[in-house]
Amino acid sequence: MGTQEPRQRPRRRARRTKRARREPGQGATVRVARWSAVHPWRAIGMWLAFVVACVVIGGAAGTDKATLIDQGTGESGRAAAVAHAHGVAEPAGENVLISARQGALDQARAAQAAGEVAQRMRKLPDVAAVGQPSPSPKGDAILLPITMRGDPETAKERVEPLLAQTAEVQRAHPGLRIEQAGDASIQHGMGELIVEDLLKADLIGLPITLVILLVAFGAVIAAGVPLLLAITAVVGAVGLTALVSHLVPMYDSATSMTMLMGLAVGVDYSLFYLRREREERARGRDHLAAIEIAAATSGHAVVVSAVAVIVSMAGLFLTGHVIFTSLASAAIVVVAVSMLGSVTVLPAVLAKLGPRVDRPRVPLVWRLTATRQGPPRLWPALLRPALRRPAATLLVSVLGLGALALPALGMDLRSTTTDELSRAIPAMRTYDRLTASFPGESTSHLVVVRAPAERAGEARQALRGLAAMTRDDRLFAPVTTQVRQSADRRVHTLVLASPYDVGSDQAQDAVRRLRAELLPATAGRVAGAEHWTGGEAADSHDFGKRLEERLPLVIGFVLLLTFVMMAAMFRSVVVALTAIAVNLLSVGAAFGALVLVFQHTWAEGPLGFTSTGHIIAWIPLFLFAVLFGLSMDYHVFLVSRIREAAAAGLPTRQAVADGITRSAGVVTGAAVIMISVFALFGAMRLMDMKQMGIGLAVAVLIDAVVIRIVVLPALMTLLGPANWWPGLPAPRRHVPGSPRDK
């Protein structure tokens, strides 16, 4: 036995040494960071190879865009899908409007221009027919209808030659206004506007973000690292999103979502990591130890925050609607890629740069922003009310946020209509002039009937009877189209017009009347027939109904998963419940601000929009998921620092003060970056991006300033040791850099 003892002791010493080497943290984030720091060139090369592979493979696969059929919901979606599948969907139509630039319209010149347009259009392969020019009731314009050939879903990709011919005739007749509008040209213009706005946002947003990072770090390289990592993450995520689109078709705003979330979280994650690494180096630790401590603390918080965002966004899949699933997919991909970069390649870059990350230093800014050894003055002063009078501070702040949230009770949700589309799109300006000169039907209802082929005659007769029943009905316009029949004689369609806007009560009443009374009394009597009501008004009705049905599921999913994650991370039921409570308060206040801004007119001038008096229907639910995820970003970071202090033995009040004081600076810097990025998207000309950008910017401002500096410290101070119920476990291992090192 004596001969075995010398062999056993080295093994025990080796095990103790191995445990000691893992002392700064025990999770995967530390092991990955250590490997990256020891093999920096391999880690950097693997990251670049990953990004390049995403771009190449995603570019080769292409992006599968969500079509109007993909965006269909319920009965209206079924109507559009059946009509499209059987080739009886309404063909894409364009309209050329000819009017005078000034004064009365010269009818002879206008007729000549209309003839030239018609002649040119008939030569195009994508034009099926050119109708007869018709004068407006007031004689101030001439309208030339054009029917496009092929699938109406792809018309926007083939409309450019038609627009080019219209522009050629316009150049030949400068005294007239010759312009084109239609669904295809409007969607084409919208796509160009999105690209233009995204480019502008990049050109403005990247320099602003760099300036903020320069102020935060006081050094050029330290400021450039988070921005460069965020850019590469966005580029890689765009490629991956293209691949994902073949499983989940992408909505038009998916690219905007990738840019929005990628810049915001990509910079934030790197900022948290880099600030902690600099803080540890300032304490005298070597660069490897500083990286491991940053990985064990900030790196772990980044992973948890990213998972919280992903979980929140995953809840949107429960809606079963392509708008939510595509935007959620884009957000999940870019958040996952940003998180992956921050915990893998960032440690490698920091290890390779070492102290050089703080070069070259920006004069004066460096001395103001470099890590200070002395205690800060600003944050203790801001925290003083919450720490000294927590009950009163909590009551006042909750009442204030509750008052801000009250307008959300009057939120008016409507589906996107032509009113929300930016008039920066040329076709939309044409559309306004067209509807002014040719007032008439405003909304179209698509009626689809599918019956056995031998019942085709009965189906046609039933639809003709339906058209006759609506002629004297005030909910419908007297204009109707002919019954269309599919090649197999099984599907028939009829388009009924309504003189009311899509979102109006009358248009919704028309949908309900068609479904409940008119169709059952006509097509419903054909043996073996199925019938559906579609069109924009029906789609708006069905979309709203889908949201009502799925909203409790999404909210319940997000709240439950958030609770489980927070309880598991902090081993505290109270921390999990308070996280949900303060985040709900923040989201409610943000919704109230959204209503105040967009349902009223006072912000129209500063934000450059015309209020429609309502919120786009899909925005609030999407914002709820995004905000709940992003709120976890700051919450996890702050509570982690507070828990470090509490685990080191500090009383709750002091632990709250210490944790928030030591992390408030980086949280503020991260919040300023997020707010600036979101505000830039709020300046975009598309209403959905404007509402989303402003909503997110206001929410982050409320979250970072009111919730994290006032509500959270007051609540945690008031709860005291109960914060950590069912008990804060005594840490068996010590994380260097915690308050116990002071």
Side-chain angles (χ1 to χ4, degrees):
M1 292 181 64
T3 59
Q4 294 178 357
E5 186 66 23
R7 287 197 299 270
Q8 290 179 351
R9 286 179 178 173
R11 289 196 191 100
R12 285 198 295 268
R13 282 197 298 270
R15 286 195 294 269
R16 285 196 298 268
T17 303
K18 187 175 182 180
R19 285 196 298 268
R21 283 200 303 267
R22 293 185 179 181
E23 188 68 22
Q26 299 76 39
T29 54
V30 178
R31 294 194 293 272
V32 171
R34 184 185 299 116
W35 185 91
S36 297
V38 174
H39 309 91
W41 286 120
R42 292 187 193 178
I44 294 172
M46 290 171 64
W47 173 253
L48 293 177
F50 168 74
V51 172
V52 171
C54 289
V55 173
V56 172
I57 298 174
T63 301
D64 185 14
K65 294 283 189 179
T67 64
L68 294 177
I69 300 299
D70 294 326
Q71 297 175 38
T73 310
E75 182 177 334
S76 59
R78 183 63 176 159
V82 171
H84 183 268
H86 287 79
V88 287
E90 284 294 299
E94 290 290 302
N95 296 285
V96 175
L97 182 69
I98 303 172
S99 58
R101 290 192 177 277
Q102 291 181 346
L105 177 66
D106 186 330
Q107 295 292 334
R109 291 179 60 193
Q112 180 186 352
E116 292 179 20
V117 173
Q119 185 178 6
R120 286 172 172 270
M121 293 294 184
R122 289 190 181 101
K123 296 178 181 179
L124 297 178
D126 283 316
V127 173
V130 178
Q132 293 298 316
S134 57
S136 66
K138 295 184 291 185
D140 59 346
I142 288 179
L143 186 66
L144 183 68
I146 299 168
T147 302
M148 291 186 66
R149 199 186 308 275
D151 188 350
E153 293 291 330
T154 62
K156 65 180 179 181
E157 301 164 9
R158 299 179 284 108
V159 75
E160 199 162 358
L162 281 72
L163 294 169
Q165 295 303 321
T166 302
E168 286 290 335
V169 179
Q170 171 66 87
R171 281 189 285 270
H173 298 271
L176 297 173
R177 181 186 282 118
I178 304 171
E179 51 194 347
Q180 182 176 328
D183 288 344
S185 53
I186 290 173
Q187 292 178 41
H188 177 78
M190 191 186 307
E192 291 185 336
L193 189 67
I194 290 175
V195 172
E196 184 181 334
D197 280 355
L198 284 178
L199 180 60
K200 187 183 297 184
D202 287 343
L203 293 177
I204 299 174
L206 293 179
I208 290 177
T209 303
L210 182 59
V211 169
I212 296 171
L213 289 170
L214 284 172
V215 173
F217 289 113
V220 175
I221 295 178
V225 167
L227 189 58
L228 184 60
L229 184 59
I231 291 172
T232 57
V234 168
V235 171
V238 169
L240 278 181
T241 302
L243 290 177
V244 174
S245 72
H246 293 277
L247 298 175
V248 181
M250 288 294 134
Y251 185 58
D252 287 337
S253 299
T255 302
S256 303
M257 172 53 53
T258 301
M259 295 289 298
L260 181 75
M261 295 291 289
L263 283 178
V265 303
V267 172
D268 272 16
Y269 292 165
S270 300
L271 180 63
F272 291 157
Y273 205 112
L274 182 53
R275 281 294 290 264
R276 185 59 185 258
E277 188 268 349
R278 290 179 82 207
E279 182 182 325
E280 297 306 325
R281 279 194 293 108
R283 287 195 172 98
R285 308 192 190 281
D286 63 75
H287 71 278
L288 183 58
I291 289 172
E292 291 187 354
I293 295 171
T297 53
S298 295
H300 182 61
V302 163
V303 172
V304 174
S305 299
V307 173
V309 176
I310 290 172
V311 166
S312 295
M313 300 307 299
L316 294 176
F317 283 93
L318 295 175
T319 63
H321 195 279
V322 72
I323 290 180
F324 295 106
T325 56
S326 63
L327 294 180
S329 298
I332 288 172
V333 168
V334 75
V335 168
V337 172
S338 300
M339 179 268 290
L340 181 66
S342 67
V343 299
T344 57
V345 71
L346 183 57
V349 172
L350 295 179
K352 198 65 186 173
L353 290 173
R356 288 172 295 181
V357 74
D358 294 328
R359 308 287 181 184
R361 296 174 179 175
V362 181
L364 182 62
V365 178
W366 168 260
R367 282 188 288 177
L368 294 175
T369 60
T371 303
R372 297 175 54 181
Q373 296 299 323
R377 298 179 180 179
L378 175 62
W379 303 115
L382 294 176
L383 286 171
R384 193 171 295 124
L387 298 178
R388 291 186 177 179
R389 297 178 179 85
T393 302
L394 182 63
L395 178 62
V396 171
S397 58
V398 169
L399 289 176
L401 291 175
L404 182 57
L406 279 178
L409 297 176
M411 184 180 291
D412 184 11
L413 300 179
R414 305 283 180 90
S415 294
T416 305
T417 64
T418 52
D419 291 337
E420 278 81 33
L421 297 181
S422 172
R423 267 48 188 178
I425 302 172
M428 284 309 306
R429 297 195 294 271
T430 304
Y431 172 83
D432 290 339
R433 285 188 282 268
L434 189 154
T435 53
S437 296
F438 292 87
E441 69 271 15
S442 178
T443 302
S444 295
H445 303 285
L446 174 67
V447 177
V448 180
V449 176
R450 184 169 63 186
E454 60 270 18
R455 301 285 183 180
E458 296 178 45
R460 286 196 305 272
Q461 190 61 34
L463 288 180
R464 292 191 187 105
L466 173 63
M469 292 173 66
T470 61
R471 286 196 184 102
D472 297 327
D473 193 322
R474 64 176 184 82
L475 295 177
F476 300 92
V479 180
T480 58
T481 58
Q482 296 298 316
V483 175
R484 297 170 61 87
Q485 178 178 278
S486 64
D488 61 5
R489 304 176 65 237
R490 295 179 61 239
V491 175
H492 300 78
T493 63
L494 174 70
V495 176
L496 300 172
S498 176
Y500 305 103
D501 291 336
V502 171
S504 66
D505 293 337
Q506 293 91 338
Q508 297 300 310
D509 288 342
V511 172
R512 285 187 283 267
R513 180 161 164 72
L514 278 170
R515 291 178 173 177
E517 301 176 27
L518 301 181
L519 266 172
T522 52
R525 295 182 178 179
V526 178
E530 299 174 279
H531 53 79
W532 305 274
T533 301
E536 291 182 337
D539 187 64
S540 175
H541 176 275
D542 294 339
F543 184 73
K545 185 177 179 181
R546 173 70 64 88
L547 287 183
E548 290 179 7
E549 292 173 350
R550 302 298 175 88
L551 184 63
L553 290 176
V554 175
I555 293 177
F557 177 87
V558 173
L559 295 183
L560 178 61
L561 267 293
T562 300
F563 173 82
V564 171
M565 286 181 53
M566 296 298 291
M569 178 182 181
F570 293 104
R571 298 184 178 88
S572 169
V573 172
V574 175
V575 167
L577 291 174
T578 54
I580 290 174
V582 297
N583 286 340
L584 285 175
L585 188 62
S586 175
V587 170
F591 281 179
L594 192 69
V595 170
L596 290 175
V597 170
F598 289 101
Q599 286 188 202
H600 300 80
T601 59
W602 62 270
E604 289 181 335
L607 296 179
F609 74 99
T610 300
S611 176
T612 59
H614 59 262
I615 306 298
I616 296 176
W618 63 267
I619 293 290
L621 182 57
F622 183 78
L623 282 182
F624 171 82
V626 174
L627 294 178
F628 228 83
L630 292 181
S631 295
M632 288 296 105
D633 194 3
Y634 303 141
H635 197 87
V636 168
F637 192 72
L638 287 177
V639 177
S640 295
R641 297 301 293 262
I642 295 172
R643 190 176 188 276
E644 279 185 47
L650 295 181
T652 301
R653 190 184 304 269
Q654 188 177 346
V656 170
D658 184 89
I660 294 181
T661 298
R662 296 170 69 202
S663 56
V666 66
V667 167
T668 302
V672 170
I673 291 171
M674 273 200 178
I675 291 170
S676 64
V677 171
F678 294 154
L680 283 173
F681 279 80
M684 292 177 70
R685 289 169 286 183
L686 290 179
M687 186 58 73
D688 54 356
M689 294 307 301
K690 186 181 291 291
Q691 291 187 2
M692 186 162 59
I694 296 299
L696 288 171
V698 171
V700 172
L701 179 64
I702 293 172
D703 195 66
V705 176
V706 182
I707 297 295
R708 308 306 162 193
I709 303 300
V710 180
V711 176
L712 181 65
L715 181 58
M716 295 191 74
T717 301
L718 198 61
L719 290 173
N723 280 293
W724 316 112
W725 185 85
L728 180 68
R732 289 176 296 176
R733 302 180 181 92
H734 167 52
V735 177
S738 68
R740 206 167 65 191
D741 283 351
K742 291 184 178 181

